[in-house]
Each structure stands twice: as structure tokens, then as C-alpha cells.
Amino acid sequence: MAERRTRTTAARATAIAEQLHHESCILLELYRKKEKFTVEDLVADRRLVSVPPPSSQLDTGDTLWRLHSALLQCRSLLERAIAKEEQELGGGKKGDYETMRKMVRDRLSLLLINTELLRAVDGAAVFTPNLDGLELEGPSSLFELKLWIYRIFKEVEHWSKTAITTLQGLPPVMDKERARGARLRSMRSARR
């Protein structure tokens, strides 16, 4: 039962990640058109999201923690970017860009819920990554702000693509020990 639930949750999370990746690509294109960026304007200097590098030595729980941590940072950055954009650039009329931006934010939150469920089924301890040092304030000039927002959208696109690969690479079933541990935790929770 736990194995089937894990496969179902992983499949659902992968489908959500695929949809998020598709929508984030559309959002990037809408934003480029809206701000009339040229290729020269969009040179990214470094990643905004910071997690340990991928490794074949990581177990499933660590791999899911790494992914969940990156997605959590993306959501924090995205929420800050949306607030800063509305504050500095005004809400304006609501169109395709604003609709897609909301869809991306909502889909990212849904993916976070599903990766948390996978981590719980896998037996990983619930752990909220430290977001200290995450670039939340953003730049001060208008052009820098627009580039910062673009970089955040680019991070969401990058990590949604990484999520697809990570989720598809998960082992198809948990080993018996982890499945037994998940059942025991489930039974203990039901007794409370």
C-alpha cells in the first residue's frame, strides 16, 4: 500500500513539475515581451537558489530534501518578486502575464506539497530549510529590479525542469525497511 502510494505521489508530483515547467517557460516569454528585453540584457551572473550540488551518493530522502529546499527557496523568491513588482511597478491591468504568474505561483506551491508528501512517505524527517541569506530584498534601480524578477522566473523554470528529472529518477519502490517504518509511523499517528 505504501509503495503504491509512493508511486502515485511521485507520478502526480512529476506531472505537476512538467506542467510547472511548461507554464514557467510561457511566463518567461511573456515577461521578456512585456519588458522588451534583448538577449544581451538577460545575461545571468549566478544562481539565486542555493542547495548542495547533486551527488550519486545521496539517498532518496536527501535527494528529495535537496529538491524540496530548492523549490521552497524558489517560492520565497517568487512571492517576494511578485510583491516587489506590484509595489514598484504597479498592478496595472490584469492580462495573460499576471494570470500566468499566478498560475506558476500556485503550481509551485502544489509541487511543494507533493514533494513534502513524498518525503514523509520516504520516512524523511520534516525539515524546513534555512532561508537566511536568500536574496529577498532585490535590487534598487528599476532596470535591476526587472532583471532580478526575470532571474527569479528563470530559477523557477530551472528547478521545475530539475524536479522532473529528479522525480523520474526516484527508485520505483521503497525498500522493505522504509516501507515498514512508514507503516509504523502511520499506525502511531492513527492512534493519537
Side-chain angles (χ1 to χ4, degrees):
M1 176 117 156
E3 292 173 5
R4 187 176 52 158
R5 188 171 52 235
T6 299
R7 281 194 306 268
T8 302
T9 303
R12 182 176 47 245
T14 302
I16 294 166
E18 289 169 344
Q19 188 64 36
L20 175 61
H21 184 257
H22 174 74
E23 291 168 352
S24 63
C25 288
I26 293 170
L27 179 62
L28 276 166
E29 186 58 32
L30 288 170
Y31 190 72
R32 271 194 295 263
K33 287 180 181 177
K34 174 182 173 286
E35 297 302 336
K36 298 172 180 64
F37 282 137
T38 64
V39 174
E40 295 81 36
D41 292 333
L42 301 177
V43 176
D45 53 6
R46 62 182 167 78
R47 297 245 73 99
L48 297 174
V49 170
S50 175
V51 293
S55 169
S56 60
Q57 304 300 317
L58 295 177
D59 67 12
T60 302
D62 290 337
T63 300
L64 288 171
W65 174 86
R66 180 182 179 277
L67 175 63
H68 187 76
S69 175
L71 294 172
L72 193 59
Q73 290 176 58
C74 283
R75 185 178 65 184
S76 295
L77 285 166
L78 183 60
E79 288 174 351
R80 182 67 185 136
I82 291 169
K84 193 99 167 140
E85 184 177 25
E86 289 178 354
Q87 174 188 356
E88 299 292 325
L89 305 175
K93 67 176 182 123
K94 303 293 183 217
D96 291 343
Y97 166 71
E98 290 79 10
T99 301
M100 187 57 64
R101 188 180 65 185
K102 182 184 180 321
M103 285 174 66
V104 165
R105 184 187 67 212
D106 293 347
R107 186 94 50 211
L108 179 55
S109 293
L110 186 59
L111 182 56
L112 274 163
I113 291 167
N114 278 271
T115 58
E116 188 64 37
L117 288 173
L118 276 171
R119 289 177 61 227
V121 168
D122 185 55
V126 176
F127 172 73
T128 304
N130 184 355
L131 298 178
D132 291 344
L134 191 59
E135 190 178 327
L136 292 176
E137 284 309 308
S140 54
S141 79
L142 185 59
F143 183 71
E144 287 176 356
L145 172 63
K146 291 178 180 184
L147 283 179
W148 181 72
I149 292 168
Y150 176 82
R151 287 179 61 209
I152 290 169
F153 293 163
K154 194 73 177 156
E155 284 291 305
V156 173
E157 184 267 338
H158 169 79
W159 284 103
S160 63
K161 187 174 184 178
T162 300
I164 295 166
T165 305
T166 301
L167 293 166
Q168 288 174 341
L170 290 177
V173 292
M174 296 185 302
D175 62 36
K176 290 180 182 180
E177 188 61 34
R178 274 194 257 155
R180 190 170 64 80
R183 278 193 304 276
L184 289 174
R185 279 188 298 284
S186 175
M187 289 175 8
R188 278 187 226 133
S189 294
R191 288 184 207 149
R192 292 181 190 160

